[in-house]
Each structure stands twice: as C-alpha cells, then as structure tokens.
Amino acid sequence: MKFSVLTTLGALTVASAVQVNPLPAPRNITWGSSGPIRVQELKLEHQSAIVTSAWNRAWKSITTLQWVPAAVEAPISSYPAFPTSTPNAKRATPEAPAVRSVQVHIADHHADLQHGVDESYTLEVSQHVPAIRITAKTPWGALHAFTTLQQLVISDGKGGLIIEQPVKIQDAPLYPHRGIMIDTGRNFISVRKILEQIDGLALSKLNVLHWHLDDAQSWPMEMRSYPEMTKDAYSPREIYTENDMRRVVAYARARGVRVIPEVDIPGHSASGWQQVDPQIVTCTNSWWSNDVWEHHTAVEPNPGQLDIIYNKTYEVVENVYQDLSRIFSDSFFHVGADELQANCYNFSSHVMDWFAEDPSRTYNDLAQYWIDHAVPIFRGVENRRIMMWEDIVLSTENAHDVPKDIVMQSWNNGLENIKKLTSAGYDTVVSSADFMYLDCGHGGFVTNDPRYNEQSNPDGSVNFNYGGNGGSWCAPYKTWQRIYDYDFTTNLTASEVKHVIGAEAPLWSEQVDDINISNELWPRAAALGELVWSGNRDKNGHKRTNQLTQRLLNFREYLVANGVLANALVPKWCLKNPHGCDLYQNQTAIA
Ligand SMILES: *[C@@H]1O[C@H](CO)[C@@H](O)[C@H](O)[C@H]1NC(C)=O
Ligand SMILES: *[C@@H]1O[C@H](CO)[C@@H](O)[C@H](O)[C@H]1NC(C)=O
Ligand SMILES: *[C@@H]1O[C@H](CO)[C@@H](O)[C@H](O)[C@H]1NC(C)=O
Ligand SMILES: *[C@@H]1O[C@H](CO)[C@@H](O)[C@H](O)[C@H]1NC(C)=O
Ligand SMILES: *[C@@H]1O[C@H](CO)[C@@H](O)[C@H](O)[C@H]1NC(C)=O
Ligand SMILES: *[C@@H]1O[C@H](CO)[C@@H](O)[C@H](O)[C@H]1NC(C)=O
C-alpha cells in the first residue's frame, strides 16, 4: 500500500491509514502525513530514578515485543464491505527520517503521587527533529507519555522499528481517581498476581489500586501490634508480610499507581479481630440466615461485625489502623462502613444494654456512635483523607451526620445515588454495581442451594431463572460495552459534577483467586480506563463505543503480550475483520 496514494484521500483516510490506536485514546492526537519515521535505539535524555526505570521498561517492551497492531480500524470508506483485511505494517525506506532519543522535560520533579497530582503530558514526534519530545508537569505525566509511546512504536516487519507518521499529542485525564478494586479477604491473591494487575493498570493509565485487604472470611495481613490476627489467614502461606505490602506499594508507585488500602469496618469483620479479643466482634457464631431473611445477620456467610459499643474495639482499631498507615503511604485510606446488619447486634450484650439504657436509641444512633468514635481515630494520621462506602450515608442503618470531607464510594442505584451523594456535597467515586461490578453474572457461590435443582427454566425469563438472577445478586455480567457506555454524570448540576472525582471497577473475590483474577479484570478495566481518561464521546459529543472496539481488541492482545492474562472478548475473526461482528451495520447505532 503506497502512502502517497492514501494521503490524497482526505483527512479521515489519512488518520485511518495509521494502524496504531493507543488505549486510552488521547484527548488530542494529531497525525501528520509525511510518512514513517524510523526509530533507532532511543536514548533517554533525562535523569531521575522513577522516569529512567519507567523508560527502561517501556523500551524493553518495545524491543522485545516488536509489536504490530493486532487489530486495526477499518477505513471508514470500506463500510459496509465486510470483511476487510488487516493491512501489513508499513515499511520505512532507509532514507526516511529517524529518531534517536527521547527528551523529557518535567516542570516539577518533586510532585508526590497523590490524589489530584498533575498527570498531563505532551508528546511530539517530528520528521525534522531526531528526538521525541515529551513535556510533563510531573514525573507521573511523563510515565503516561511512555505508555502511549510504547504503543506508537511498531515493527516495520524487517527487524526495524517505526512510528507510522509524525504525531502530536496533548493529553490529560478527565478524572483524577481512576481505578480497580481487588478483594483479598474472600480469597487470597498472591503478590505476583497483584503485581500483574498493576502492570495492567499502568498500561491503561488507571492510577488507583483499591486493595480490599480483609473481610469476615480471612485476615491475611501481618500486623505488628497483633501478630495473632494472621491465625485467621487461610494458611501460613496465604499471608502478606509487611514487606509484601510495602513491595506492592513500591511497585505500584514506580508505575504511577496509588494503592488505597481498605480495612472494612465495622461490618464484614470477624477473622483477625476475633483473635485479639472475641468480645470486639459480635454474631460470628450466628447462622447467617439468608434463607430466613428476617433473621439474617449477614448478607453472605460468614457473619461478624465489630462491636460498636465495647470500648476495646476502638483501641484495637486504632492500633491496626496505625500499623497499616505506616505501610500504605497514600493520603487516602478506605475504612469500609458498608452493609451493617442490625440483627447482628442482637448478639452483643454491650449493644443490647446500650439500647436498654435509653429506649429512644435506634440503629441510626448506633451508626452515629461509630462515626463519632472511629473518625477521630482515622483523622489521627496527618493529611489523611478518609474514604467509605455510601451505605453509611444512604442505607437504612445510616448515620445521621457523616463529615462532608469523607470520600464516598457509590455502588447502589446507579445515577440516583451519585446524585444524592454529590448534591449533599460528598466527593464521590463511582462504582455503580449495575455497570462496574466485574464479578457479577457468574451464578451463586452459596452451597446447598435448591434453586439449581430445576429441570426447566422456572419462569422462562432470562433474568429471573433459578429463583432470581441465576443466583448472582448483581447479574448479568457487565460487558466492556456496558461499562464504557455508562454516562455516570447524567443529570448532575455543574457543581455536583465537580464532586465526582472518578470511578473504580470492583472485583469481589468470592469466586476469584490467582486462577481468574486477570481475565476477570482485563480487558474490561481498560474500557473503564478510557471512560475516565478521555471519555466515551468524540469531539461532536457522539458515543464512540464502536471506535473503541478495535482499539480494545488490540489492547487485549497487547496486555497478554505484556504478561497480563486478559480474557478473549470475541472470536479472533472479529478482530481481524473490523466491524464484521457489529450487531448493527449502521456505524452510529450507539447514540
Ligand atoms: C489538538 O492539537 C492540535 C495540534 O497540536 C491543535 O492545533 C488543536 O488546537 C488541539 N485541539 C484541542 C481541542 O485541544
Ligand atoms: C433482633 O432483635 C429484634 C428486636 O428485638 C428482633 O425483631 C429481631 O427478630 C432479632 N433478630 C434476630 C436474628 O434474633
Ligand atoms: C468506655 O469509655 C468511656 C470513655 O472513655 C468511659 O466513659 C466508659 O466508662 C467506658 N465504658 C466501659 C464499660 O468501660
Ligand atoms: C472465576 O473462575 C471460576 C472458574 O472458571 C468461575 O466459576 C467463576 O465464576 C469465576 N469468577 C468470576 C467472578 O468470574
Ligand atoms: C434526567 O432528568 C430528567 C428530568 O428530570 C428525567 O426525565 C430523566 O429520566 C433523567 N435521566 C436519567 C437517566 O435519570
Ligand atoms: C444510524 O443510527 C442513528 C442512531 O440511532 C440514527 O440517528 C441514524 O439515522 C441511523 N442511520 C441510518 C443510515 O440508518
């Protein structure tokens, strides 16, 4: 395919003549048309440990993978002539201009990796200058420039490397908080696998790993104050030592990813805590009773909540919190506060006595007692920003008065709860279960479940089989299109929109461990990555989901090539035949 021929066909065709299609799509990318630029050994003209090691990783990936885009966008003019074939990589003549170095200019080398740090960058590859020029306000922006650049440099098919055209990029994220949540309380995830997820985060420009460390089921973290807590790890091998946790934090930081720890309290608490003093937890020996809902003490087995009235609870919470605060350097710390079950407190004599003392007291007063006594402990660390699940404000057992500087993570009722939280003035992280919960739709995990003993579909409906949602409370499975199409600021006022600080896709791990964590998270989390980096609409405000298709299919292959074991999304035929697998031939059917 001759390049000069393509350039005569007008702007759209020139753009589509470029095969690379980095993900997330940059906010602003302008391709030239003078032809390919040869890439020689790129020397970094810059000195600083974080930037240098990030460049070394990017360069290693470039040279070892010799990447050729696995899925390319079809020229618009080829619609609807399916299938179209994947063109070969373009060759550069020996006379083509070459680049030999990467110049990086960073305005502030000392900017810490914290919420809201400037992550913008510019990147310019020109036929006239033998250096690729990158500018960034902070090192963290420069790291994003590298993950873009490593997707731009491709093999010329003859052992050389090229960038297909001169290019100018101006890029910056839409939202400062962009992440995934992993859960190592329900099942243990090895450090090696956690690091793999961080590789995926960095490549897709996500910058938060929310680490739901423990849950009622297990306590995997080694605690300086209470070594006995890991008696409730699944085994002596399924423990995170202090060094393991520090290693995860350091590995993530080197890749521009913040690690936000979560200790889920006062709900979802049994393991670990009960080893310190059985009285600081309650209802652990009750039947969780989801079969008789009026008696339920937990929404899933096993039950357990911190005793809110027992004084020693706060002493232990403080020591655990201080221990973890020495390990996790992020200014954000998540302290749970979801799904408090009133019935659980029937098993606490401390709580029952407290209610008896004053019959006007309610469960809302109890939740308020927790806020009043626990929040000062959380504020005991300098510059700490506390994060909680929305339940503490919006559930039936809500507290009356939750400080407005606490970041709320929204997971119920989609747009409705986002509106409630932001209009009340809370900074909000969107994790609406109907759109972003990656664990949904795999059936139930509870056993002795007679709902499956049916010889036909009980009511013939897709959504209400096996007694409801196939046993998965948040079925169906959230596809990448479902995630990417979510307009989560719909109907918010301008001042409410400012309170949306970003989004996280949670992967709860009742049915996840090392075996499937990567393919459950990826590449779906990369669709979220683009949604919160540059959005789901083009310059004219039209949904660009259909343009993400080939970009995401390529990126999935790229993740796998980089060691992140992402799931297949389509038969490979779809990847090789752009838009051949679309449901509608109308390319703007997604409005
Ligand atoms: C995008 O970049 C080009 C080239 O640098 C520039 O001319 C244009 O104004 C930019 N567009 C936006 C929307 O920033
Ligand atoms: C807990 O106590 C309340 C109020 O006395 C009662 O209605 C409820 O049934 C009790 N729950 C259990 C699980 O015993
Ligand atoms: C719990 O602590 C509070 C305040 O420190 C104190 O007033 C109260 O007597 C203590 N209660 C018990 C049962 O020790
Ligand atoms: C993880 O994989 C197992 C086995 O393939 C499957 O049963 C389970 O549903 C998966 N979990 C999730 C959340 O996808
Ligand atoms: C947005 O608000 C309008 C007017 O109140 C309402 O009709 C519409 O259903 C809302 N949209 C969504 C997606 O909630
Ligand atoms: C394609 O779909 C869009 C959105 O539904 C619609 O506005 C447009 O008219 C359709 N185009 C054709 C050619 O049917």
Side-chain angles (χ1 to χ4, degrees), residues 204-236:
S204 41
K205 295 185 172 54
L206 289 160
N207 67 351
V208 169
L209 175 70
H210 169 174
W211 187 357
H212 182 91
L213 286 154
D214 71 296
D215 214 288
Q217 290 88 345
S218 78
W219 184 278
M221 314 89 89
E222 187 180 77
M223 288 289 107
R224 207 176 279 192
S225 302
Y226 305 109
E228 64 271 32
M229 291 181 93
T230 48
K231 284 185 191 160
D232 286 338
Y234 284 126
S235 76

Side-chain angles (χ1 to χ4, degrees), residues 586 588-589 591:
N586 180 350
T588 54

Side-chain angles (χ1 to χ4, degrees), residues 7-28:
T7 52
T8 62
L9 295 179
L12 267 181
T13 316
V14 169
S16 59
V18 176
Q19 297 178 37
V20 304
N21 196 0
L23 186 154
R27 295 282 282 283
N28 186 359

Side-chain angles (χ1 to χ4, degrees), residues 393-394 404 418-427 496 499:
V393 176
L394 299 181
K404 291 287 157 67
I418 298 167
K419 178 96 182 169
K420 282 183 184 163
L421 293 166
T422 55
S423 64
Y426 291 103
D427 280 354
E496 288 161 2
H499 282 298

Side-chain angles (χ1 to χ4, degrees), residues 425-473:
Y426 291 103
D427 280 354
T428 300
V429 171
V430 174
S431 294
S432 306
D434 292 341
F435 298 84
M436 293 182 179
Y437 269 32
L438 301 179
D439 49 305
C440 303
H442 289 278
F445 80 91
V446 289
T447 43
N448 195 26
D449 186 342
R451 291 175 297 180
Y452 293 106
N453 184 27
E454 287 284 349
Q455 312 311 315
S456 66
N457 239 4
D459 65 3
S461 135
V462 175
N463 291 325
F464 270 82
N465 51 8
Y466 319 121
N469 290 335
S472 162
W473 71 272

